[in-house]
């Protein structure tokens, strides 16, 4: 048969994402069986997402809601009429139900036969989700092996086509493909992957977290040191009639501390993911 094998670095990159608290989901236009097979090979569908099925060729199948087709997903998260058609709102768009979406997305791992509008629905729904505030639902999900981030969901979306532009724009972080991506997708995104490689997303997350951690550490360190130095100077001036720290020392000591702080931050980079 004909196969399009995974890049060898992809399973490892997804495993690193899982360890770092980044939950990877697949949204594709491929057939559901094809999408499930690829998701199993790369680690998006994990053992706890599968259940035995002797009737299936692989001997197992995804649990309910873990793998859906686009039409099933749309029917679950939008209001429908008795005949199964989608109900429209005042703007003529399918009426989205956030409460129903919140019952689906924690389980969803693979969305096959999807449309670009489904990606926009995912990005929009995840941004607005308040599942983390429902302690009972969070506990029920935890017992099923599903961990919900204890705050608003931060959404990253990949895409390469013109139709992906709205979803890339709506997501907190949009990744466009530098080789196969259209110019419109690149204009709508936040980061362009020059090599079209998923592993590059891990590198971007790693350096992004490093910048955030470095700024936090720098502010904490500088505020602590400066408050101590200023307090010593003021108290010394009152008690001893002169500052115990000379002006030259006040300038020289931070230069040494900043170098040590920069070395420490770079040393801790490898532990971020």
């Amino acid at each position: 048969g004909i196969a399009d094998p995974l890049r060898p670095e992809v399973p490892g990159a997804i495993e690193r994402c899982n360890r770092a608290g980044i939950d990877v989901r697949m949204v594709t236009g491929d057939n559901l069986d094809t999408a499930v097979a690829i998701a199993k090979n790369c680690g998006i569908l994990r053992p706890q997402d599968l259940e035995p099925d002797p009737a299936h060729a692989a001997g197992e199948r995804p649990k309910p809601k873990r793998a859906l087709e686009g039409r099933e997903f749309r029917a679950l998260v939008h209001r429908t009429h008795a005949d199964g058609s989608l109900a429209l709102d005042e703007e003529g768009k399918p009426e989205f139900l956030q409460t129903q979406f919140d019952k689906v997305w924690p389980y969803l791992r693979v969305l096959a036969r999807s449309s670009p509008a489904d990606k926009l629905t995912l990005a929009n729904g995840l941004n607005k989700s308040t599942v983390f505030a429902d302690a009972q639902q969070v506990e029920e999900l935890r017992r099923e092996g599903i961990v919900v981030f204890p705050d608003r969901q931060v959404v990253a979306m990949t895409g390469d086509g013109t139709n992906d532009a709205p979803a890339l724009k709506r997501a907190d972080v949009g990744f466009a493909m530098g080789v196969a991506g259209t110019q419109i997708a690149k204009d709508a995104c936040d980061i362009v992957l020059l090599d079209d490689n998923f592993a590059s997303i891990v590198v971007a997350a790693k350096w992004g977290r490093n910048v955030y951690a470095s700024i936090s550490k720098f502010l904490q360190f500088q505020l602590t040191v400066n408050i101590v130095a200023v307090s010593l100077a003021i108290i010394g001036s009152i008690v001893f009639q002169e500052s115990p720290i000379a002006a030259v020392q006040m300038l020289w000591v931070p230069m040494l501390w900043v170098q040590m702080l920069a070395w420490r931050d770079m040393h801790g980079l490898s532990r971020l993911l």
Side-chain angles (χ1 to χ4, degrees):
I2 299 175
D4 186 11
L6 288 170
R7 293 187 180 187
E9 65 270 19
V10 170
I14 291 177
E15 176 59 27
R16 292 181 67 189
C17 285
N18 291 335
R19 291 201 309 267
I22 302 173
D23 202 4
V24 182
R25 292 176 169 83
M26 177 189 292
V27 183
T28 177
D30 289 339
N31 177 274
L32 181 60
D33 291 336
T34 302
V36 167
I38 295 173
K40 288 166 62 177
N41 289 338
C42 66
I44 293 177
L45 275 175
R46 299 158 294 188
Q48 62 264 34
D49 299 315
L50 304 170
E51 61 183 7
D53 182 12
H56 198 277
E60 57 186 4
R61 65 179 179 184
K63 292 180 180 178
K65 297 182 182 179
R66 266 58 171 195
L68 298 173
E69 289 189 341
R71 55 182 176 81
E72 297 176 278
F73 173 74
R74 290 188 289 273
L76 287 172
V77 303
H78 293 95
R79 190 181 302 279
T80 58
H81 295 298
D83 60 357
S85 60
L86 299 181
L88 303 180
D89 58 18
E90 296 177 353
E91 298 179 356
K93 300 177 180 179
E95 187 175 350
F96 178 71
L97 302 175
Q98 183 67 49
T99 54
Q100 293 300 110
F101 180 84
D102 286 343
K103 295 177 182 178
V104 174
W105 77 257
Y107 301 96
L108 185 63
R109 310 297 304 170
V110 177
L111 183 58
R113 292 293 188 190
S114 66
S115 67
D118 293 333
K119 298 179 73 171
L120 180 58
T121 299
L122 269 175
N124 187 56
L126 286 169
N127 275 136
K128 296 180 178 180
S129 177
T130 57
V131 168
F132 66 91
D134 189 338
Q136 181 178 353
Q137 186 177 1
V138 169
E139 178 60 25
E140 291 174 356
L141 292 170
R142 189 189 63 79
R143 286 198 292 266
E144 296 185 58
I146 300 173
V147 179
V148 176
F149 191 74
D151 203 341
R152 184 185 73 82
Q153 299 297 310
V154 178
V155 183
M157 186 74 70
T158 64
D160 56 6
T162 300
N163 290 338
D164 293 326
L168 295 175
K169 199 74 174 176
R170 182 65 180 87
D172 296 293
V173 183
F175 290 92
M177 303 299 131
V179 178
T182 64
Q183 188 59 46
I184 293 178
K186 295 176 185 178
D187 291 340
C189 76
D190 300 291
I191 299 175
V192 177
L193 301 179
L194 297 180
D195 57 357
D196 289 11
N197 193 337
F198 180 84
S200 298
I201 297 177
V202 179
V203 176
K206 180 178 179 179
W207 283 101
R209 289 187 176 190
N210 180 58
V211 170
Y212 180 83
S214 296
I215 293 174
S216 299
K217 292 175 182 177
F218 178 80
L219 291 176
Q220 181 184 20
F221 183 83
Q222 287 289 2
L223 287 174
T224 302
V225 170
N226 290 336
I227 289 173
V228 171
V230 171
S231 299
L232 283 174
I234 293 174
I235 294 173
S237 299
I238 295 173
V239 176
F240 303 107
Q241 302 305 313
E242 68 174 322
S243 174
I245 305 176
V248 175
Q249 291 174 322
M250 290 282 283
L251 293 173
W252 179 81
V253 173
M255 292 177 62
L256 178 63
W257 288 340
V258 167
Q259 296 299 323
M260 296 176 62
L261 181 63
W263 178 86
R264 185 189 68 175
D265 289 345
M266 291 302 298
H267 182 70
L269 175 60
S270 62
R271 298 193 297 270
L272 290 174
L273 287 178

